Amino acid sequence: MTATIPPPSARDALHERLRSPLLHFIGGGWVPSESGETFEFLTPTDNSVLGHAASGTAADIDRAAQAAHAAFPAWRALSGKKRRAVLHRVADLIEARADEIATAESVDTGQPIRFMKSAAARAAENFRFYADRAEGAQDGLSLPTQGFLNYTLRQPIGPVGVITPWNTPFMLSSWKIAPALAAGCTVVHKPAEWSPVTATLLAEIMHEAGIPVGVVNLVHGYGESAGRALTEHPLIRAIAFIGESRTGSLIQKQGADTLKRVHLELGGKNPVVVFADADLDRALDAAIFMIYSLNGQRCTSSSRLLVQRSVHDDFVDRLAARVAQIRVGDPLDPATEVGPLIHPVQADKVCSYFDHAREGGATVRVGGERIGESGNYVRPTLFTQATSDMRISQEEIFGPVLTVIPFDDDADALRIANDVPYGLAAYVWTSDLTRAHTFAHGLDSGMVWINSENVRHLPTPFGGMKASGIGRDGGDYSFDFYMETKNIAVNLDGHRAQRLGMDMETGS
Ligand code: NAD
C-alpha cells in the first residue's frame, strides 16, 4: 500500500462540518427528519464513523414531494434562457468548489482523489451541457399531411424522483438532475445511504446558484424507507434510478400502483474482447484502466476479459505483472490507483468471490486477499482460466476484480460475450474493420467501444439492454424521459367530419 498522507485542510474542514448531522433540504430549508432519526455512515479507510445524516421516512418524502409539486408551475413557466443561466451558475460553482467536492467524495466513498477530481469536472460539464439545451428541450417535429399540420412539442412531466448509488455519487447525481432541471421538471433526490456527503454539497450549490425554492429537494435515508416512499408517492411522476438490477426490479413494482414512468440504469458484467490482430499494447492499458480505475466500482467496468487463445498466454502474463503493481492506498494520496472499498459489506461481497473462483476451478493469478489491519482494502485481483458458466464470469462483483476467459474465434467470442444476464457496455479490440463492425452489431450491449476504453460524448445515448436497464440518457434521449411529447393537429382545408344525428329526409 502507498503510505498514508498527512490530512490536508480540505479533509479537516470536512470533518469539522460533519460534527453536525447532514440534514434534508426541503422547500429551500435544511431540516431534520420529522421522526428525529439519523443514521451513521463510515470512513472506508478504517470504518470509523464519518458522520450522521437525517434518516428520511415517508413523512419527509411527502414534504419534499409537496414542495416539488408547488414549485413546478413556476419552474416550468420560466424561459429556457433563464433556466440556462441558472444551470450555468451551478456549473460555475461546482468548478469553484471542485477540490472540496473531490476531497469529500474520496473521504466518503474511498475512491482515489485522482479520479474524483475529473468526476467533479464532469459534473460541471453535465450541467453546462444541459444548460445549453434548456432552450431547445421543448422542440418537436413538424409532421404535415393532406389538409393538416401536425406538430409536436415536449413539456416537462412534473416533479421527478432521482435515486442514486454510492459509486461516484456526485457525478451520477448531476447526470440525472441537470437534464431534469433543464427540461423544466422539479426534483426530489434520494442519495445512497453509504455516501450522503456530496449530495449535500450539490443541494447547497444549486441553492446558492439561484435555483428557486422547492425546485430541488434532498431527502437522505435508506432505500427501503425513503427510497421506497419516493417511488410510491402519487405526486412524483417519474423515477430516474441508478443502482443494482434487483433494486431496479423492486422500483418497477413499487411504482406500478401510481403508474410511474421509470428509467433504470443498472448493473453490468461488461466484456472487453481482445482479438489477436489488435494493438495489444493499447488494449492492455485500456483493459486495466476499465476495471481497476474507480476501485472497479463503475457500471461500465470491463469486468470480463475475453482474449483470443493464440495471444492469450503472453497477454495475460503482461496483464498479471501490471495488476500486481497497481498502487493501493489512502484515497487522498494522489499516487493511489485503488482505494478502500466503500463499506465492509461491499468488501465482504467482493472477497466472497475469491472463494467462488477457487471452488469453481479458476486460477487466482494475482491478489485474492484483503490488505491492512483496518478499512476495506482489497488487493487488485485477477482470475484466469475461467469459463463462462462460473459465478465469477456471470455476476457483477463491483470491485477491482477481473475475470479472464480465453476464446478461439469470432463466434466463440460473441457467444461468451453475450452469455450473461447483463448488456450495458462492451469493448472490442481488433484492427480488422469488418470484424469490428460485425462483432459490434452482434453484441447484446447498449454501448460498444471499438479500440477504446469508455470515452463519453454527452450527446450519445447511454444505457443498457437486458438486466442492465431500461431507457437511455444523454443528449436528447434524457428529454424523452423527463418530458411528455404532445402532438397538436391543426386542420387547414376546412373539411367537415361525418355528420351524425342528422334528419335522414331533410338532411338537417
Ligand atoms: P443499490 O441498488 O443498492 O442502491 C441504489 C439506490 O437505491 C440507493 O440510493 C438505495 O438507497 C436505493 N434503494 C435501495 N432499495 C430501494 C427501494 N426498495 N426503493 C427505492 N430505492 C431503493 O445500488 P448501489 O449498490 O448503491 O450501487 C451499485 C450498483 O449501481 C451497481 O449494480 C452498478 O452497476 C449500478 N450502477 C449502474 C450505472 C448505470 O449507468 N447503469 C451507473 C452506476 C452504478
Side-chain angles (χ1 to χ4, degrees), residues 163-198:
I163 302 179
T164 47
W166 45 259
N167 64 313
T168 55
F170 190 84
M171 193 287 281
L172 289 173
S173 305
S174 73
W175 181 232
K176 295 291 181 190
I177 293 174
L181 295 179
C185 295
T186 54
V187 172
V188 178
H189 179 201
K190 207 301 282 174
E193 53 271 37
W194 286 354
S195 61
V197 175
T198 55

PDB file of all heavy atoms in Angstrom, residues 163-198:
ATOM      1  N   ILE A 163     -32.984   8.695  -7.733  1.00  0.00           N
ATOM      2  CA  ILE A 163     -32.402   7.805  -6.707  1.00  0.00           C
ATOM      3  C   ILE A 163     -31.039   7.355  -7.211  1.00  0.00           C
ATOM      4  O   ILE A 163     -30.927   6.784  -8.303  1.00  0.00           O
ATOM      5  CB  ILE A 163     -33.325   6.596  -6.448  1.00  0.00           C
ATOM      6  CG1 ILE A 163     -34.702   7.076  -6.000  1.00  0.00           C
ATOM      7  CG2 ILE A 163     -32.710   5.665  -5.400  1.00  0.00           C
ATOM      8  CD1 ILE A 163     -35.713   5.959  -5.737  1.00  0.00           C
ATOM      9  N   THR A 164     -29.995   7.632  -6.423  1.00  0.00           N
ATOM     10  CA  THR A 164     -28.622   7.409  -6.919  1.00  0.00           C
ATOM     11  C   THR A 164     -27.846   6.432  -6.030  1.00  0.00           C
ATOM     12  O   THR A 164     -28.160   6.267  -4.847  1.00  0.00           O
ATOM     13  CB  THR A 164     -27.881   8.755  -6.997  1.00  0.00           C
ATOM     14  OG1 THR A 164     -28.086   9.476  -5.776  1.00  0.00           O
ATOM     15  CG2 THR A 164     -28.379   9.584  -8.168  1.00  0.00           C
ATOM     16  N   PRO A 165     -26.799   5.810  -6.606  1.00  0.00           N
ATOM     17  CA  PRO A 165     -25.989   4.834  -5.861  1.00  0.00           C
ATOM     18  C   PRO A 165     -24.754   5.490  -5.236  1.00  0.00           C
ATOM     19  O   PRO A 165     -24.583   6.705  -5.320  1.00  0.00           O
ATOM     20  CB  PRO A 165     -25.567   3.868  -6.975  1.00  0.00           C
ATOM     21  CG  PRO A 165     -25.379   4.747  -8.170  1.00  0.00           C
ATOM     22  CD  PRO A 165     -26.366   5.887  -8.025  1.00  0.00           C
ATOM     23  N   TRP A 166     -23.879   4.661  -4.661  1.00  0.00           N
ATOM     24  CA  TRP A 166     -22.724   5.187  -3.916  1.00  0.00           C
ATOM     25  C   TRP A 166     -21.447   5.230  -4.736  1.00  0.00           C
ATOM     26  O   TRP A 166     -20.426   5.675  -4.226  1.00  0.00           O
ATOM     27  CB  TRP A 166     -22.500   4.369  -2.642  1.00  0.00           C
ATOM     28  CG  TRP A 166     -22.587   2.880  -2.837  1.00  0.00           C
ATOM     29  CD1 TRP A 166     -23.648   2.088  -2.529  1.00  0.00           C
ATOM     30  CD2 TRP A 166     -21.588   2.010  -3.381  1.00  0.00           C
ATOM     31  NE1 TRP A 166     -23.385   0.783  -2.856  1.00  0.00           N
ATOM     32  CE2 TRP A 166     -22.118   0.712  -3.372  1.00  0.00           C
ATOM     33  CE3 TRP A 166     -20.299   2.192  -3.868  1.00  0.00           C
ATOM     34  CZ2 TRP A 166     -21.421  -0.399  -3.850  1.00  0.00           C
ATOM     35  CZ3 TRP A 166     -19.597   1.104  -4.346  1.00  0.00           C
ATOM     36  CH2 TRP A 166     -20.159  -0.172  -4.327  1.00  0.00           C
ATOM     37  N   ASN A 167     -21.473   4.754  -5.962  1.00  0.00           N
ATOM     38  CA  ASN A 167     -20.229   4.860  -6.739  1.00  0.00           C
ATOM     39  C   ASN A 167     -20.248   6.178  -7.521  1.00  0.00           C
ATOM     40  O   ASN A 167     -21.215   6.456  -8.223  1.00  0.00           O
ATOM     41  CB  ASN A 167     -20.060   3.652  -7.669  1.00  0.00           C
ATOM     42  CG  ASN A 167     -21.123   3.560  -8.724  1.00  0.00           C
ATOM     43  OD1 ASN A 167     -22.313   3.689  -8.424  1.00  0.00           O
ATOM     44  ND2 ASN A 167     -20.746   3.357  -9.947  1.00  0.00           N
ATOM     45  N   THR A 168     -19.216   6.965  -7.387  1.00  0.00           N
ATOM     46  CA  THR A 168     -19.159   8.334  -7.948  1.00  0.00           C
ATOM     47  C   THR A 168     -20.500   9.067  -7.823  1.00  0.00           C
ATOM     48  O   THR A 168     -21.076   9.501  -8.817  1.00  0.00           O
ATOM     49  CB  THR A 168     -18.692   8.331  -9.421  1.00  0.00           C
ATOM     50  OG1 THR A 168     -19.527   7.481 -10.185  1.00  0.00           O
ATOM     51  CG2 THR A 168     -17.258   7.926  -9.569  1.00  0.00           C
ATOM     52  N   PRO A 169     -21.001   9.215  -6.592  1.00  0.00           N
ATOM     53  CA  PRO A 169     -22.362   9.731  -6.413  1.00  0.00           C
ATOM     54  C   PRO A 169     -22.564  11.164  -6.902  1.00  0.00           C
ATOM     55  O   PRO A 169     -23.641  11.481  -7.418  1.00  0.00           O
ATOM     56  CB  PRO A 169     -22.594   9.628  -4.904  1.00  0.00           C
ATOM     57  CG  PRO A 169     -21.275   9.420  -4.287  1.00  0.00           C
ATOM     58  CD  PRO A 169     -20.399   8.780  -5.313  1.00  0.00           C
ATOM     59  N   PHE A 170     -21.555  12.030  -6.747  1.00  0.00           N
ATOM     60  CA  PHE A 170     -21.757  13.432  -7.160  1.00  0.00           C
ATOM     61  C   PHE A 170     -21.964  13.509  -8.666  1.00  0.00           C
ATOM     62  O   PHE A 170     -22.918  14.120  -9.148  1.00  0.00           O
ATOM     63  CB  PHE A 170     -20.539  14.280  -6.746  1.00  0.00           C
ATOM     64  CG  PHE A 170     -20.766  15.752  -6.924  1.00  0.00           C
ATOM     65  CD1 PHE A 170     -21.412  16.498  -5.952  1.00  0.00           C
ATOM     66  CD2 PHE A 170     -20.330  16.403  -8.073  1.00  0.00           C
ATOM     67  CE1 PHE A 170     -21.635  17.869  -6.116  1.00  0.00           C
ATOM     68  CE2 PHE A 170     -20.545  17.769  -8.241  1.00  0.00           C
ATOM     69  CZ  PHE A 170     -21.193  18.494  -7.263  1.00  0.00           C
ATOM     70  N   MET A 171     -21.077  12.872  -9.415  1.00  0.00           N
ATOM     71  CA  MET A 171     -21.179  12.929 -10.884  1.00  0.00           C
ATOM     72  C   MET A 171     -22.494  12.294 -11.348  1.00  0.00           C
ATOM     73  O   MET A 171     -23.202  12.849 -12.192  1.00  0.00           O
ATOM     74  CB  MET A 171     -19.971  12.213 -11.504  1.00  0.00           C
ATOM     75  CG  MET A 171     -19.795  12.471 -12.982  1.00  0.00           C
ATOM     76  SD  MET A 171     -20.993  11.653 -14.021  1.00  0.00           S
ATOM     77  CE  MET A 171     -20.333   9.994 -14.070  1.00  0.00           C
ATOM     78  N   LEU A 172     -22.824  11.137 -10.771  1.00  0.00           N
ATOM     79  CA  LEU A 172     -24.042  10.452 -11.229  1.00  0.00           C
ATOM     80  C   LEU A 172     -25.303  11.250 -10.887  1.00  0.00           C
ATOM     81  O   LEU A 172     -26.270  11.255 -11.657  1.00  0.00           O
ATOM     82  CB  LEU A 172     -24.115   9.050 -10.629  1.00  0.00           C
ATOM     83  CG  LEU A 172     -23.101   8.052 -11.206  1.00  0.00           C
ATOM     84  CD1 LEU A 172     -23.145   6.737 -10.428  1.00  0.00           C
ATOM     85  CD2 LEU A 172     -23.357   7.787 -12.684  1.00  0.00           C
ATOM     86  N   SER A 173     -25.284  11.958  -9.757  1.00  0.00           N
ATOM     87  CA  SER A 173     -26.454  12.779  -9.415  1.00  0.00           C
ATOM     88  C   SER A 173     -26.615  13.906 -10.428  1.00  0.00           C
ATOM     89  O   SER A 173     -27.727  14.215 -10.872  1.00  0.00           O
ATOM     90  CB  SER A 173     -26.298  13.372  -8.012  1.00  0.00           C
ATOM     91  OG  SER A 173     -26.072  12.344  -7.089  1.00  0.00           O
ATOM     92  N   SER A 174     -25.505  14.507 -10.819  1.00  0.00           N
ATOM     93  CA  SER A 174     -25.574  15.608 -11.797  1.00  0.00           C
ATOM     94  C   SER A 174     -26.096  15.099 -13.137  1.00  0.00           C
ATOM     95  O   SER A 174     -26.792  15.793 -13.857  1.00  0.00           O
ATOM     96  CB  SER A 174     -24.191  16.240 -11.984  1.00  0.00           C
ATOM     97  OG  SER A 174     -23.341  15.380 -12.720  1.00  0.00           O
ATOM     98  N   TRP A 175     -25.767  13.886 -13.457  1.00  0.00           N
ATOM     99  CA  TRP A 175     -26.159  13.268 -14.725  1.00  0.00           C
ATOM    100  C   TRP A 175     -27.664  13.117 -14.844  1.00  0.00           C
ATOM    101  O   TRP A 175     -28.241  13.100 -15.943  1.00  0.00           O
ATOM    102  CB  TRP A 175     -25.425  11.921 -14.795  1.00  0.00           C
ATOM    103  CG  TRP A 175     -25.609  11.073 -15.986  1.00  0.00           C
ATOM    104  CD1 TRP A 175     -25.974   9.761 -15.989  1.00  0.00           C
ATOM    105  CD2 TRP A 175     -25.402  11.429 -17.349  1.00  0.00           C
ATOM    106  NE1 TRP A 175     -26.017   9.303 -17.271  1.00  0.00           N
ATOM    107  CE2 TRP A 175     -25.670  10.303 -18.123  1.00  0.00           C
ATOM    108  CE3 TRP A 175     -25.031  12.619 -17.983  1.00  0.00           C
ATOM    109  CZ2 TRP A 175     -25.585  10.320 -19.507  1.00  0.00           C
ATOM    110  CZ3 TRP A 175     -24.939  12.627 -19.353  1.00  0.00           C
ATOM    111  CH2 TRP A 175     -25.210  11.482 -20.101  1.00  0.00           C
ATOM    112  N   LYS A 176     -28.339  13.004 -13.692  1.00  0.00           N
ATOM    113  CA  LYS A 176     -29.807  12.887 -13.671  1.00  0.00           C
ATOM    114  C   LYS A 176     -30.462  14.240 -13.424  1.00  0.00           C
ATOM    115  O   LYS A 176     -31.475  14.583 -14.048  1.00  0.00           O
ATOM    116  CB  LYS A 176     -30.240  11.927 -12.550  1.00  0.00           C
ATOM    117  CG  LYS A 176     -29.806  10.498 -12.743  1.00  0.00           C
ATOM    118  CD  LYS A 176     -30.561   9.904 -13.889  1.00  0.00           C
ATOM    119  CE  LYS A 176     -30.202   8.465 -14.129  1.00  0.00           C
ATOM    120  NZ  LYS A 176     -30.754   7.951 -15.372  1.00  0.00           N
ATOM    121  N   ILE A 177     -29.911  14.994 -12.476  1.00  0.00           N
ATOM    122  CA  ILE A 177     -30.593  16.222 -12.041  1.00  0.00           C
ATOM    123  C   ILE A 177     -30.477  17.314 -13.104  1.00  0.00           C
ATOM    124  O   ILE A 177     -31.438  18.050 -13.351  1.00  0.00           O
ATOM    125  CB  ILE A 177     -30.034  16.677 -10.667  1.00  0.00           C
ATOM    126  CG1 ILE A 177     -30.421  15.638  -9.602  1.00  0.00           C
ATOM    127  CG2 ILE A 177     -30.548  18.060 -10.295  1.00  0.00           C
ATOM    128  CD1 ILE A 177     -29.817  15.877  -8.229  1.00  0.00           C
ATOM    129  N   ALA A 178     -29.320  17.422 -13.775  1.00  0.00           N
ATOM    130  CA  ALA A 178     -29.138  18.502 -14.760  1.00  0.00           C
ATOM    131  C   ALA A 178     -30.171  18.421 -15.898  1.00  0.00           C
ATOM    132  O   ALA A 178     -30.841  19.425 -16.186  1.00  0.00           O
ATOM    133  CB  ALA A 178     -27.707  18.504 -15.299  1.00  0.00           C
ATOM    134  N   PRO A 179     -30.353  17.268 -16.560  1.00  0.00           N
ATOM    135  CA  PRO A 179     -31.366  17.237 -17.627  1.00  0.00           C
ATOM    136  C   PRO A 179     -32.793  17.418 -17.106  1.00  0.00           C
ATOM    137  O   PRO A 179     -33.638  18.018 -17.783  1.00  0.00           O
ATOM    138  CB  PRO A 179     -31.189  15.853 -18.272  1.00  0.00           C
ATOM    139  CG  PRO A 179     -30.406  15.040 -17.307  1.00  0.00           C
ATOM    140  CD  PRO A 179     -29.587  16.009 -16.498  1.00  0.00           C
ATOM    141  N   ALA A 180     -33.074  16.916 -15.890  1.00  0.00           N
ATOM    142  CA  ALA A 180     -34.423  17.086 -15.332  1.00  0.00           C
ATOM    143  C   ALA A 180     -34.734  18.578 -15.166  1.00  0.00           C
ATOM    144  O   ALA A 180     -35.816  19.047 -15.540  1.00  0.00           O
ATOM    145  CB  ALA A 180     -34.528  16.365 -13.989  1.00  0.00           C
ATOM    146  N   LEU A 181     -33.769  19.321 -14.630  1.00  0.00           N
ATOM    147  CA  LEU A 181     -33.992  20.757 -14.423  1.00  0.00           C
ATOM    148  C   LEU A 181     -34.048  21.506 -15.749  1.00  0.00           C
ATOM    149  O   LEU A 181     -34.863  22.413 -15.926  1.00  0.00           O
ATOM    150  CB  LEU A 181     -32.881  21.342 -13.536  1.00  0.00           C
ATOM    151  CG  LEU A 181     -32.833  20.811 -12.102  1.00  0.00           C
ATOM    152  CD1 LEU A 181     -31.670  21.450 -11.353  1.00  0.00           C
ATOM    153  CD2 LEU A 181     -34.140  21.080 -11.367  1.00  0.00           C
ATOM    154  N   ALA A 182     -33.182  21.123 -16.681  1.00  0.00           N
ATOM    155  CA  ALA A 182     -33.191  21.783 -17.995  1.00  0.00           C
ATOM    156  C   ALA A 182     -34.535  21.568 -18.681  1.00  0.00           C
ATOM    157  O   ALA A 182     -35.054  22.457 -19.365  1.00  0.00           O
ATOM    158  CB  ALA A 182     -32.055  21.240 -18.859  1.00  0.00           C
ATOM    159  N   ALA A 183     -35.123  20.399 -18.471  1.00  0.00           N
ATOM    160  CA  ALA A 183     -36.422  20.079 -19.089  1.00  0.00           C
ATOM    161  C   ALA A 183     -37.561  20.873 -18.459  1.00  0.00           C
ATOM    162  O   ALA A 183     -38.628  21.009 -19.054  1.00  0.00           O
ATOM    163  CB  ALA A 183     -36.697  18.581 -18.944  1.00  0.00           C
ATOM    164  N   GLY A 184     -37.350  21.364 -17.220  1.00  0.00           N
ATOM    165  CA  GLY A 184     -38.419  22.097 -16.531  1.00  0.00           C
ATOM    166  C   GLY A 184     -39.085  21.273 -15.438  1.00  0.00           C
ATOM    167  O   GLY A 184     -40.136  21.670 -14.921  1.00  0.00           O
ATOM    168  N   CYS A 185     -38.498  20.136 -15.095  1.00  0.00           N
ATOM    169  CA  CYS A 185     -39.044  19.316 -14.003  1.00  0.00           C
ATOM    170  C   CYS A 185     -38.497  19.820 -12.668  1.00  0.00           C
ATOM    171  O   CYS A 185     -37.420  20.400 -12.607  1.00  0.00           O
ATOM    172  CB  CYS A 185     -38.614  17.856 -14.157  1.00  0.00           C
ATOM    173  SG  CYS A 185     -39.272  17.063 -15.618  1.00  0.00           S
ATOM    174  N   THR A 186     -39.211  19.532 -11.608  1.00  0.00           N
ATOM    175  CA  THR A 186     -38.677  19.726 -10.267  1.00  0.00           C
ATOM    176  C   THR A 186     -38.259  18.351  -9.733  1.00  0.00           C
ATOM    177  O   THR A 186     -38.677  17.317 -10.268  1.00  0.00           O
ATOM    178  CB  THR A 186     -39.712  20.395  -9.346  1.00  0.00           C
ATOM    179  OG1 THR A 186     -40.925  19.618  -9.396  1.00  0.00           O
ATOM    180  CG2 THR A 186     -39.994  21.809  -9.807  1.00  0.00           C
ATOM    181  N   VAL A 187     -37.431  18.349  -8.680  1.00  0.00           N
ATOM    182  CA  VAL A 187     -36.732  17.113  -8.304  1.00  0.00           C
ATOM    183  C   VAL A 187     -36.793  16.849  -6.804  1.00  0.00           C
ATOM    184  O   VAL A 187     -36.650  17.768  -5.999  1.00  0.00           O
ATOM    185  CB  VAL A 187     -35.240  17.236  -8.738  1.00  0.00           C
ATOM    186  CG1 VAL A 187     -34.413  16.066  -8.216  1.00  0.00           C
ATOM    187  CG2 VAL A 187     -35.112  17.336 -10.257  1.00  0.00           C
ATOM    188  N   VAL A 188     -36.963  15.564  -6.470  1.00  0.00           N
ATOM    189  CA  VAL A 188     -36.664  15.087  -5.108  1.00  0.00           C
ATOM    190  C   VAL A 188     -35.552  14.052  -5.255  1.00  0.00           C
ATOM    191  O   VAL A 188     -35.727  13.044  -5.942  1.00  0.00           O
ATOM    192  CB  VAL A 188     -37.890  14.445  -4.419  1.00  0.00           C
ATOM    193  CG1 VAL A 188     -37.497  13.923  -3.040  1.00  0.00           C
ATOM    194  CG2 VAL A 188     -39.035  15.439  -4.317  1.00  0.00           C
ATOM    195  N   HIS A 189     -34.418  14.318  -4.629  1.00  0.00           N
ATOM    196  CA  HIS A 189     -33.249  13.436  -4.759  1.00  0.00           C
ATOM    197  C   HIS A 189     -33.076  12.615  -3.488  1.00  0.00           C
ATOM    198  O   HIS A 189     -33.063  13.161  -2.386  1.00  0.00           O
ATOM    199  CB  HIS A 189     -32.006  14.316  -4.990  1.00  0.00           C
ATOM    200  CG  HIS A 189     -30.730  13.539  -5.121  1.00  0.00           C
ATOM    201  ND1 HIS A 189     -29.489  14.088  -4.906  1.00  0.00           N
ATOM    202  CD2 HIS A 189     -30.491  12.240  -5.464  1.00  0.00           C
ATOM    203  CE1 HIS A 189     -28.558  13.169  -5.106  1.00  0.00           C
ATOM    204  NE2 HIS A 189     -29.136  12.042  -5.429  1.00  0.00           N
ATOM    205  N   LYS A 190     -32.938  11.293  -3.676  1.00  0.00           N
ATOM    206  CA  LYS A 190     -32.632  10.395  -2.547  1.00  0.00           C
ATOM    207  C   LYS A 190     -31.282   9.734  -2.858  1.00  0.00           C
ATOM    208  O   LYS A 190     -31.212   8.800  -3.642  1.00  0.00           O
ATOM    209  CB  LYS A 190     -33.747   9.346  -2.429  1.00  0.00           C
ATOM    210  CG  LYS A 190     -33.954   8.779  -1.031  1.00  0.00           C
ATOM    211  CD  LYS A 190     -32.760   8.085  -0.411  1.00  0.00           C
ATOM    212  CE  LYS A 190     -32.534   6.684  -0.946  1.00  0.00           C
ATOM    213  NZ  LYS A 190     -31.269   6.098  -0.410  1.00  0.00           N
ATOM    214  N   PRO A 191     -30.200  10.222  -2.218  1.00  0.00           N
ATOM    215  CA  PRO A 191     -28.886   9.624  -2.483  1.00  0.00           C
ATOM    216  C   PRO A 191     -28.682   8.335  -1.677  1.00  0.00           C
ATOM    217  O   PRO A 191     -29.456   8.034  -0.769  1.00  0.00           O
ATOM    218  CB  PRO A 191     -27.912  10.710  -2.017  1.00  0.00           C
ATOM    219  CG  PRO A 191     -28.657  11.466  -0.960  1.00  0.00           C
ATOM    220  CD  PRO A 191     -30.128  11.347  -1.267  1.00  0.00           C
ATOM    221  N   ALA A 192     -27.608   7.619  -1.992  1.00  0.00           N
ATOM    222  CA  ALA A 192     -27.320   6.354  -1.305  1.00  0.00           C
ATOM    223  C   ALA A 192     -26.923   6.612   0.150  1.00  0.00           C
ATOM    224  O   ALA A 192     -26.225   7.575   0.455  1.00  0.00           O
ATOM    225  CB  ALA A 192     -26.202   5.617  -2.032  1.00  0.00           C
ATOM    226  N   GLU A 193     -27.352   5.729   1.008  1.00  0.00           N
ATOM    227  CA  GLU A 193     -27.111   5.906   2.446  1.00  0.00           C
ATOM    228  C   GLU A 193     -25.640   5.712   2.833  1.00  0.00           C
ATOM    229  O   GLU A 193     -25.206   6.171   3.883  1.00  0.00           O
ATOM    230  CB  GLU A 193     -28.014   4.959   3.260  1.00  0.00           C
ATOM    231  CG  GLU A 193     -27.945   3.482   2.886  1.00  0.00           C
ATOM    232  CD  GLU A 193     -28.940   3.091   1.794  1.00  0.00           C
ATOM    233  OE1 GLU A 193     -29.164   3.899   0.864  1.00  0.00           O
ATOM    234  OE2 GLU A 193     -29.472   1.965   1.871  1.00  0.00           O
ATOM    235  N   TRP A 194     -24.862   5.017   1.992  1.00  0.00           N
ATOM    236  CA  TRP A 194     -23.436   4.849   2.305  1.00  0.00           C
ATOM    237  C   TRP A 194     -22.609   6.082   1.914  1.00  0.00           C
ATOM    238  O   TRP A 194     -21.445   6.180   2.270  1.00  0.00           O
ATOM    239  CB  TRP A 194     -22.869   3.624   1.560  1.00  0.00           C
ATOM    240  CG  TRP A 194     -23.302   2.314   2.135  1.00  0.00           C
ATOM    241  CD1 TRP A 194     -24.024   2.094   3.272  1.00  0.00           C
ATOM    242  CD2 TRP A 194     -23.016   1.012   1.594  1.00  0.00           C
ATOM    243  NE1 TRP A 194     -24.224   0.747   3.460  1.00  0.00           N
ATOM    244  CE2 TRP A 194     -23.618   0.063   2.455  1.00  0.00           C
ATOM    245  CE3 TRP A 194     -22.328   0.557   0.469  1.00  0.00           C
ATOM    246  CZ2 TRP A 194     -23.535  -1.308   2.219  1.00  0.00           C
ATOM    247  CZ3 TRP A 194     -22.246  -0.805   0.227  1.00  0.00           C
ATOM    248  CH2 TRP A 194     -22.844  -1.731   1.100  1.00  0.00           C
ATOM    249  N   SER A 195     -23.174   7.000   1.122  1.00  0.00           N
ATOM    250  CA  SER A 195     -22.371   8.134   0.618  1.00  0.00           C
ATOM    251  C   SER A 195     -23.217   9.398   0.498  1.00  0.00           C
ATOM    252  O   SER A 195     -23.449   9.889  -0.595  1.00  0.00           O
ATOM    253  CB  SER A 195     -21.788   7.783  -0.746  1.00  0.00           C
ATOM    254  OG  SER A 195     -22.848   7.535  -1.660  1.00  0.00           O
ATOM    255  N   PRO A 196     -23.665   9.951   1.654  1.00  0.00           N
ATOM    256  CA  PRO A 196     -24.594  11.092   1.573  1.00  0.00           C
ATOM    257  C   PRO A 196     -23.916  12.463   1.457  1.00  0.00           C
ATOM    258  O   PRO A 196     -24.593  13.467   1.280  1.00  0.00           O
ATOM    259  CB  PRO A 196     -25.341  10.998   2.913  1.00  0.00           C
ATOM    260  CG  PRO A 196     -24.350  10.386   3.851  1.00  0.00           C
ATOM    261  CD  PRO A 196     -23.486   9.468   3.035  1.00  0.00           C
ATOM    262  N   VAL A 197     -22.579  12.520   1.548  1.00  0.00           N
ATOM    263  CA  VAL A 197     -21.934  13.818   1.763  1.00  0.00           C
ATOM    264  C   VAL A 197     -22.047  14.744   0.556  1.00  0.00           C
ATOM    265  O   VAL A 197     -22.480  15.894   0.678  1.00  0.00           O
ATOM    266  CB  VAL A 197     -20.446  13.625   2.157  1.00  0.00           C
ATOM    267  CG1 VAL A 197     -19.755  14.983   2.265  1.00  0.00           C
ATOM    268  CG2 VAL A 197     -20.354  12.881   3.482  1.00  0.00           C
ATOM    269  N   THR A 198     -21.670  14.262  -0.630  1.00  0.00           N
ATOM    270  CA  THR A 198     -21.621  15.208  -1.751  1.00  0.00           C
ATOM    271  C   THR A 198     -23.013  15.557  -2.283  1.00  0.00           C
ATOM    272  O   THR A 198     -23.159  16.586  -2.943  1.00  0.00           O
ATOM    273  CB  THR A 198     -20.726  14.693  -2.900  1.00  0.00           C
ATOM    274  OG1 THR A 198     -21.177  13.400  -3.285  1.00  0.00           O
ATOM    275  CG2 THR A 198     -19.271  14.684  -2.499  1.00  0.00           C
TER     276      THR A 198
END
